[in-house]
Amino acid sequence: MNLEWIREPKEWLVALNLPPLVQALLIVVAAVVVGKILQWIFTRWLKSLTRHTTTLLDDHIVSTLERPVFATATLVGLILATYRLQLKEAAEHFTLGILASLLVLVWLVTGFRLAGLLLDALSRNRRRFPAVEERTIPLFNTLAKVFLVGGAVWAILMIWRIDARPWLTSAGIVGIAVGFAAKDTLANLFSGVFIVADAPYKLGDFVILDSGERGRVTQVGLRSTRLLTRDDIEIIIPNAVIANAKIINESGGPWLKERLRIAVGVAYGSDLDQVCALLKEIAQNHDHVCATPEPRVRFRSFGDSALNLELLCWIDEPVLRGRMLHELNLEVYKGFQQHGVQIPFPQRDVHIHNPTPAPEKENTLQGGNDAG
């Protein structure tokens, strides 16, 4: 950074015969004034231009850059004022390092915000940017932060005149040691990347784990996945575990709808045409049963004491399954009672067989006369 020109007094400063401290103060005041002017330009002029656009991205960008631009002008003024004071080399190096580091941190935070705004805008334009969507935003956001933090660290090292090569060598050795020590954490991180890329589920999906838990996916992170059960209990599953588990995604497939299967048994001798029509009518009259595909009834098997049928109908989303099973079972029971359809229960007839006792055999002794 070649700012030697600020060390030498300018003609107008020489004419005023001002000491270096006053000159430094004038530079700071001028920098603040320039910052306020730039802030006013962002607030009034640029915002008035962005109001005429169809997207909100430029409005958010202008609002985000408003304060960093003022802070940058002020910090640059302080840097120039520090050069103008002509401090001792050690004090000047320390002061300039602090101010330049603050400038880097200001734009690091601004970069985080701009990256979030840009990713959010790209995710809304799925046709042009299909890779950026709600489930992949955490991955891209993390990658953007890694690059921004890496650039900020490199800039700070350059500001403080620190040779980064020994640090990189040490980082490689430390990285190998950390890789062995934190292999489970790294496994979760890599599994999180694969889950985001492969998308076996996404936020809002209802999934059933091979261990039996069922819930809505509330967060897909790089280390773990969070499920919220119907009992409002949060389950946190490491990505390395869930990546190798068998998962039933109830929200997957061509649509969000889910089909219910309600098994019903009726007595032998029942009018099956009447029963099928009644079951179908019960499903069609319910508000949350989908009209397409339409409900249907299937005769499944001949049971020991009942004719087994199954009512098949679709509901709008998996979250309604428990309530819909309850309500449809109630309607089926009431409808059967109203129309006299008998719901059998297992019965056993016990027949006692009591045969006529056989006549007693005569006890005869056959043999010759005793010789006496």
Side-chain angles (χ1 to χ4, degrees):
M1 184 180 295
N2 185 12
L3 294 176
E4 294 297 329
W5 60 271
I6 200 64
R7 296 177 183 271
E8 302 298 331
K10 294 299 180 180
E11 296 179 357
W12 61 276
L13 293 174
V14 173
L16 294 176
N17 195 21
L18 297 175
L21 180 59
V22 177
Q23 295 177 24
L25 291 176
L26 289 176
I27 292 174
V28 173
V29 172
V32 172
V33 171
V34 171
K36 285 295 183 181
I37 293 174
L38 293 175
Q39 196 174 30
W40 179 85
I41 292 175
F42 272 82
T43 305
R44 299 292 181 86
W45 185 57
L46 290 180
K47 284 187 177 181
S48 64
L49 292 178
T50 56
R51 291 193 188 99
H52 301 290
T53 59
T54 57
T55 178
L56 295 176
L57 177 60
D58 48 4
D59 298 85
H60 295 317
I61 290 177
V62 170
S63 299
T64 303
L65 292 177
E66 183 179 345
R67 291 183 178 179
V69 166
F70 174 75
T72 300
T74 304
L75 288 172
V76 169
L78 291 173
I79 291 173
L80 297 177
T82 302
Y83 272 111
R84 198 73 185 108
L85 288 175
Q86 299 179 356
L87 302 174
K88 292 183 179 181
E89 184 178 357
E92 182 181 271
H93 176 68
F94 178 77
T95 306
L96 292 175
I98 293 295
L99 294 174
S101 300
L102 289 176
L103 185 60
V104 171
L105 293 177
V106 167
W107 284 103
L108 176 63
V109 176
T110 305
F112 287 166
R113 295 175 181 174
L114 291 177
L117 291 175
L118 183 60
L119 289 174
D120 182 67
L122 294 179
S123 65
R124 299 177 187 275
N125 193 348
R126 295 287 302 279
R127 293 183 178 179
R128 297 184 60 183
F129 305 98
V132 183
E133 53 182 307
E134 185 178 6
R135 64 182 176 83
T136 59
I137 283 180
L139 174 61
F140 287 110
N141 192 25
T142 302
L143 292 177
K145 288 181 178 179
V146 169
F147 282 112
L148 289 172
V149 170
V153 170
W154 177 83
I156 291 176
L157 291 176
M158 294 299 101
I159 289 170
W160 292 97
R161 301 173 186 174
I162 299 175
D163 189 3
R165 287 175 294 180
W167 292 81
L168 294 176
T169 304
S170 302
I173 299 174
V174 172
I176 296 175
V178 171
F180 284 106
K183 59 180 181 179
D184 294 336
T185 302
L186 293 177
N188 290 329
L189 291 176
F190 284 113
S191 299
V193 173
F194 295 146
I195 288 173
V196 171
D198 188 50
Y201 50 82
K202 61 182 182 298
L203 294 179
D205 284 358
F206 268 86
V207 299
I208 302 177
L209 305 179
D210 53 1
S211 54
E213 292 90 348
R214 174 179 181 265
R216 182 193 293 272
V217 180
T218 58
Q219 181 180 346
V220 182
L222 290 179
R223 193 195 66 84
S224 63
T225 296
R226 296 172 185 257
L227 302 182
L228 187 65
T229 68
R230 298 297 295 158
D231 297 326
D232 287 337
I233 297 175
E234 188 176 59
I235 303 176
I236 303 174
I237 310 163
N239 286 332
V241 175
I242 199 169
N244 296 317
K246 178 183 177 182
I247 303 172
I248 299 175
N249 189 349
E250 295 183 292
S251 303
W255 49 39
L256 189 61
K257 301 176 184 178
E258 180 176 345
R259 186 162 72 171
L260 295 183
R261 296 174 177 268
I262 300 178
V264 179
V266 297
Y268 279 89
S270 301
D271 186 351
L272 290 185
D273 293 332
Q274 177 194 11
V275 173
C276 292
L278 178 60
L279 291 173
K280 190 173 181 180
E281 180 183 359
I282 290 172
Q284 290 174 338
N285 291 336
H286 200 286
D287 294 336
H288 292 291
V289 173
C290 300
T292 305
E294 65 177 1
R296 63 194 68 176
V297 181
R298 294 290 182 262
F299 179 24
R300 294 305 187 192
S301 64
F302 296 92
D304 293 338
S305 57
L307 302 173
N308 298 318
L309 297 92
E310 195 172 40
L311 171 61
L312 307 174
C313 59
W314 294 84
I315 58 177
D316 293 324
E317 52 182 335
V319 69
L320 300 174
R321 187 180 70 173
R323 180 163 66 91
M324 290 297 298
L325 286 173
H326 165 73
E327 295 179 0
L328 288 175
N329 281 329
L330 285 179
E331 293 297 327
V332 169
Y333 182 74
K334 293 177 182 178
F336 280 10
Q337 280 192 327
Q338 183 178 357
H339 291 81
V341 179
Q342 183 180 0
I343 302 177
F345 53 89
Q347 302 181 53
R348 294 290 182 271
D349 295 332
V350 180
H351 300 277
I352 300 176
H353 181 63
N354 187 14
T356 303
E360 295 182 0
K361 296 181 179 181
E362 296 181 357
N363 188 9
T364 58
L365 293 177
Q366 296 180 358
N369 296 328
D370 292 339

